[in-house]
Amino acid sequence: MTRACEPGGPVGRASIKDIAQAAGVSHSTVSRALNDSTLVNESTRERIKALALEMGYIPNAVARSLKAQRSGTVGLVVTSLTDPFFADVMAGVDEIAGRAGLSMFVAASHNDPDREMEVIETFHRRRVDGVIVAASRLSNRYRERLERIHVPIVVVNQHTEENPEFHAVALDEVGGARLAVGHLLEVGHRRIGYLGLGNRQRSNRLRLGGYRDVLRRADLVPDPAWALIVPESEIGEQDDTEIGESRLPDLLEAGVTAVFCYNDRVAVGALQTCRAHGIAVPGELSLVGFDDIDVARWVDPPLTTVRQPRAEMGRTAMSVMLDLLEERPGHDCMLAPELVVRASTAPPRR
Amino acid sequence: MTRACEPGGPVGRASIKDIAQAAGVSHSTVSRALNDSTLVNESTRERIKALALEMGYIPNAVARSLKAQRSGTVGLVVTSLTDPFFADVMAGVDEIAGRAGLSMFVAASHNDPDREMEVIETFHRRRVDGVIVAASRLSNRYRERLERIHVPIVVVNQHTEENPEFHAVALDEVGGARLAVGHLLEVGHRRIGYLGLGNRQRSNRLRLGGYRDVLRRADLVPDPAWALIVPESEIGEQDDTEIGESRLPDLLEAGVTAVFCYNDRVAVGALQTCRAHGIAVPGELSLVGFDDIDVARWVDPPLTTVRQPRAEMGRTAMSVMLDLLEERPGHDCMLAPELVVRASTAPPRR
DNA sequence: ATACTGATTGCACACGTGTGCAATCGCAAC
DNA sequence: GTTGCGATTGCACACGTGTGCAATCAGTAT
């Protein structure tokens, strides 16, 4: 009665009620027929299915979600949509979610904890079945608001060291740093620097730890000036690359022959400075990055770096989420990085 | 009666019914109070709002969507989540959508028209209010299935030349090509090549058109061998960069002094080949790309290219979508590219 | 005192789907 | 013929929210 939706008529949004009317049965029967319930006669099922196809019926997932108390969606929060790191994580999540028939909400937090919390709350309003947060900056300040959210949360590469109650997928940061510094050591360097970023709390601390660890085991006493952690207050709105560009000279002055950079962007910045100052890489200075972003492969010289299994991290996070959704126990997960040797590292000149 | 949801009790999912019971009013009153309706006494409104806060009430957007026949969501289909081009488009869409209070579904089509159609249908099942498709490959084969989808669709940088019924946001491809080739001409080149990709139907044809156009206006008769369009059949699974790497020699043999590449990836590949063969860029060969992806800035030499206003395209697409959602007339939109001169172009040797 | 007005509230239905339970029917066993 | 059983179907409610309409109540004008 509401809208004309005859079998041959104008194709509008047809509901199971419309189909029921056209078939001369109740909407319950239609519902059962379309869901292949055994509680419906085979011939009527065929008839209803044919009718549904003819009328262009497309089930309403919203209504289904309301009834089922499960939406078949997950929310993904990333700090930036344009950062290739998160793009790969996103792709990994999408792959597994798509395979499981789940749809994915995405939103950016722009590295702002308040905004991050708002996005999570929006997702919760939409009744997503789970939330995956990449590089979360949520601190204990948000505990109260988080407790109102009754949704499983999985965190990828958490930036803070709080909220341990989340399930976490993380990279073995210490191991990654060991690979990088170990490689430099093996090649022959002894005066190795570290250029770190203070606004990356957790990962920076761990990478610094790995750096020190390797040097200590090699019975080297690193000059404190070799490890430069740019404090958060001095970073401000600056891009990582700019940091690398502007801060490399400090380390050069300290007399290092190789620098392990917090990430590839920092390393690329450092590389720019070398090019500008006529410092040969790797002839006079070796550089190692972290992440293996696309750019690392195409700069000159191509960058030696530590590859994070980014897509794998997304896939793993989503797999853990699926476990949680199926009421199976969730678990934490630590993934192994991989050293990618390219052309930005070589033995020291002497 | 279903679950215990007392004011001070365990905070579970509270519905307006639970609040109504706790406040001793009907759920209608609660609904009105929370929506600031004038049809409710101010004091009871205050009381109900306080109670809602205390009980940790979070409105159910699913139920709201069902009732309102509008979900407050849009779906974004991209061919690849890891391509930085789409990442920027996504960010633009997210920005405007977020500002309008809409949430964004995202899924990848992996350049497969069938998959693209499936994703759109999934979005429709979830009753998104609109769909934005980046680099759509939908042909007329899908017309029938598309007609069942009663959802506004906006297309960004459509790849095919069919389905003109969609609202489209596109780049002025011809103008972009004119900028690139015009720049080479102005710098002094006369034997200018074009390295195009046959699997990008529409944009490749337009860029080729712009290339020919500029040369014709300059009264140059280009050797047909200077324009190399790699046919789709020969591309297969190859990355754009690999194409550039492997196909540049063909153009060099044809005797060009400058090459306008279909995009930056192709140009980066070409640059690799030059480096490998000891061909100086821009000394012996000038290269121009298209897109201005991140890498373009960091390769050596930094790439002269045509910048697409990618985020702007996403923002525009979402703005057009908002118009359509508000029943305002939609419109097509063509955005202007911008020439970015860096160091990969210079006057020809002689 | 009565009627009218405005403010406030609840009832009942709607959105589209799924499902427990009862009802109906046909058929076979006693 | 009655009882029982399995197959099939419809009724009615649920999910959580929003809203038209009627009902109730207090206050004011007549």
Side-chain angles (χ1 to χ4, degrees):
Chain A
M1 65 175 142
T2 51
R3 10 184 179 59
C5 234
E6 329 258 314
V11 192
R13 288 214 180 155
S15 72
I16 56 172
K17 264 187 204 162
D18 301 315
I19 299 178
Q21 194 180 347
V25 296
S26 75
H27 79 277
S28 319
T29 302
V30 176
S31 171
R32 283 191 266 256
L34 296 179
N35 289 331
D36 286 324
S37 161
T38 58
L39 290 174
V40 62
N41 185 297
E42 193 171 346
S43 67
T44 56
R45 170 171 42 221
E46 301 293 328
R47 189 163 54 94
I48 288 173
K49 280 193 170 182
L51 211 48
L53 197 62
E54 187 182 359
M55 294 171 71
Y57 170 72
I58 296 184
N60 186 326
V62 173
R64 207 172 263 183
S65 302
L66 180 60
K67 174 63 184 170
Q69 297 288 77
R70 171 173 269 240
S71 64
T73 61
V74 295
L76 175 61
V77 192
V78 298
T79 55
S80 162
L81 285 168
T82 58
D83 186 322
F85 178 90
F86 299 117
D88 283 342
V89 172
M90 215 184 309
V93 172
D94 180 53
E95 182 187 333
I96 304 298
R99 207 178 287 167
L102 302 179
S103 291
M104 178 178 78
F105 280 110
V106 175
S109 68
H110 301 293
N111 232 328
D112 172 7
D114 278 336
R115 175 80 188 129
E116 182 180 338
M117 191 65 224
E118 279 169 22
V119 169
I120 294 178
E121 284 171 340
T122 298
F123 284 165
H124 179 50
R125 268 207 310 280
R126 300 214 178 271
R127 294 297 188 267
V128 298
D129 296 333
V131 173
I132 298 178
V133 186
S136 174
R137 290 181 72 89
L138 290 184
S139 61
N140 282 325
R141 280 206 303 134
Y142 298 89
R143 175 146 305 177
E144 195 184 345
R145 284 166 79 181
L146 279 170
E147 273 168 8
R148 329 203 126 196
I149 313 277
H150 298 88
V151 159
I153 295 185
V154 174
V155 174
V156 178
N157 271 8
Q158 187 158 23
H159 263 188
T160 68
E161 322 211 33
E162 306 175 351
N163 290 310
E165 69 266 26
F166 297 149
H167 288 282
V169 172
L171 181 82
D172 179 3
E173 308 271 0
V174 178
R178 283 199 191 123
L179 284 176
V181 182
H183 167 68
L184 291 171
L185 207 60
E186 205 169 305
V187 170
H189 291 274
R190 289 296 173 269
R191 294 152 65 185
I192 302 173
Y194 172 63
L195 182 44
L197 297 181
N199 61 352
R200 311 291 216 284
Q201 268 197 359
R202 181 174 166 279
S203 52
N204 182 70
R205 189 179 59 75
L206 294 172
R207 292 180 197 179
L208 176 62
Y211 160 81
R212 289 196 173 133
D213 194 31
V214 171
L215 296 186
R216 185 160 17 87
R217 290 197 194 184
D219 290 326
L220 296 176
V221 268
D223 185 329
W226 294 350
L228 171 58
I229 313 295
V230 185
E232 182 156 17
S233 57
E234 293 177 25
I235 292 178
E237 289 297 307
Q238 274 185 99
D239 185 69
D240 292 354
T241 311
E242 292 171 10
I243 305 283
E245 247 175 310
S246 63
R247 295 312 190 96
L248 179 67
D250 298 354
L251 284 178
L252 292 176
E253 217 159 293
V256 301
T257 62
V259 176
F260 167 42
C261 301
Y262 174 81
N263 67 16
D264 289 342
R265 293 175 175 275
V266 172
V268 167
L271 201 56
Q272 294 296 313
T273 293
C274 291
R275 194 181 298 169
H277 290 34
I279 300 170
V281 175
E284 300 174 67
L285 182 75
S286 285
L287 286 175
V288 181
F290 207 106
D291 284 355
D292 193 25
I293 62 178
D294 199 35
V295 180
R297 217 172 123 195
W298 304 119
V299 289
D300 183 27
L303 209 58
T304 294
T305 187
V306 177
R307 176 181 297 158
Q308 297 207 42
R310 301 187 289 262
E312 183 62 28
M313 297 176 85
R315 284 192 291 263
T316 305
M318 190 62 216
S319 299
V320 172
M321 179 59 74
L322 286 180
D323 284 344
L324 294 173
L325 296 185
E326 301 295 330
E327 311 281 341
R328 291 191 292 264
H331 58 278
D332 288 2
C333 209
M334 180 139 104
L335 275 66
E338 176 193 359
L339 181 69
V340 181
V341 179
R342 296 209 179 90
S344 68
T345 49
R349 187 159 274 180
R350 160 195 29 79
Chain B
M1 62 168 148
T2 50
R3 4 181 185 60
C5 235
E6 331 258 314
V11 192
R13 290 214 177 153
S15 73
I16 56 172
K17 264 187 205 162
D18 301 315
I19 299 178
Q21 193 181 347
V25 296
S26 76
H27 80 276
S28 318
T29 303
V30 176
S31 171
R32 282 191 267 256
L34 297 180
N35 289 332
D36 286 323
S37 162
T38 58
L39 291 174
V40 63
N41 185 297
E42 193 171 346
S43 67
T44 57
R45 170 173 38 224
E46 301 293 329
R47 190 163 53 93
I48 287 173
K49 280 193 170 182
L51 211 49
L53 196 63
E54 186 183 358
M55 295 172 71
Y57 170 73
I58 296 184
N60 185 327
V62 172
R64 207 172 263 183
S65 302
L66 180 59
K67 174 63 185 173
Q69 297 288 76
R70 172 174 268 240
S71 65
T73 61
V74 294
L76 175 61
V77 192
V78 298
T79 56
S80 163
L81 285 168
T82 57
D83 186 324
F85 178 89
F86 299 117
D88 284 342
V89 172
M90 217 183 307
V93 173
D94 181 53
E95 182 187 332
I96 305 297
R99 205 177 288 168
L102 302 180
S103 292
M104 178 177 77
F105 280 110
V106 176
S109 69
H110 300 293
N111 232 327
D112 172 9
D114 278 335
R115 175 78 188 132
E116 182 179 336
M117 191 65 223
E118 280 168 21
V119 168
I120 294 179
E121 283 171 340
T122 298
F123 285 164
H124 179 50
R125 268 206 309 277
R126 301 212 178 272
R127 293 299 187 266
V128 297
D129 296 333
V131 173
I132 298 177
V133 186
S136 173
R137 290 182 72 90
L138 289 185
S139 60
N140 283 324
R141 277 206 304 132
Y142 298 88
R143 175 146 306 177
E144 195 185 343
R145 284 167 79 181
L146 278 170
E147 274 169 7
R148 329 201 126 195
I149 312 278
H150 298 88
V151 159
I153 296 186
V154 174
V155 174
V156 178
N157 269 9
Q158 187 157 22
H159 263 188
T160 68
E161 321 210 35
E162 305 175 352
N163 290 310
E165 69 264 28
F166 297 148
H167 287 282
V169 172
L171 181 81
D172 179 3
E173 307 271 0
V174 178
R178 283 200 191 121
L179 285 175
V181 182
H183 166 68
L184 290 172
L185 208 59
E186 204 169 303
V187 170
H189 291 275
R190 289 296 172 270
R191 293 152 65 186
I192 302 173
Y194 172 63
L195 182 45
L197 298 181
N199 61 350
R200 311 291 216 283
Q201 268 197 0
R202 179 175 167 281
S203 51
N204 181 70
R205 189 178 60 76
L206 294 172
R207 291 180 198 178
L208 176 62
Y211 160 82
R212 289 197 174 133
D213 194 31
V214 171
L215 295 187
R216 186 159 18 88
R217 289 195 194 186
D219 291 325
L220 294 177
V221 268
D223 185 329
W226 293 350
L228 171 57
I229 313 297
V230 185
E232 182 156 17
S233 57
E234 292 178 25
I235 293 178
E237 290 297 307
Q238 274 184 99
D239 186 68
D240 292 355
T241 311
E242 292 171 10
I243 304 282
E245 247 174 310
S246 63
R247 294 313 190 95
L248 179 68
D250 298 354
L251 285 178
L252 293 176
E253 216 159 292
V256 301
T257 63
V259 176
F260 167 42
C261 300
Y262 174 81
N263 67 16
D264 288 343
R265 293 174 175 275
V266 172
V268 167
L271 200 57
Q272 294 298 311
T273 294
C274 290
R275 194 181 299 169
H277 291 34
I279 301 169
V281 175
E284 300 174 67
L285 182 75
S286 286
L287 285 175
V288 181
F290 207 104
D291 284 352
D292 193 24
I293 62 178
D294 199 36
V295 179
R297 218 172 121 197
W298 303 118
V299 288
D300 183 26
L303 210 58
T304 293
T305 185
V306 177
R307 176 181 298 156
Q308 297 207 41
R310 300 186 289 262
E312 183 61 28
M313 298 175 84
R315 284 193 291 264
T316 305
M318 191 61 217
S319 299
V320 171
M321 180 59 75
L322 287 180
D323 284 344
L324 295 173
L325 296 186
E326 301 294 331
E327 311 281 341
R328 291 191 293 263
H331 57 279
D332 288 2
C333 209
M334 180 137 105
L335 275 66
E338 177 193 358
L339 181 69
V340 180
V341 179
R342 296 209 180 90
S344 66
T345 49
R349 187 158 274 183
R350 170 191 22 82

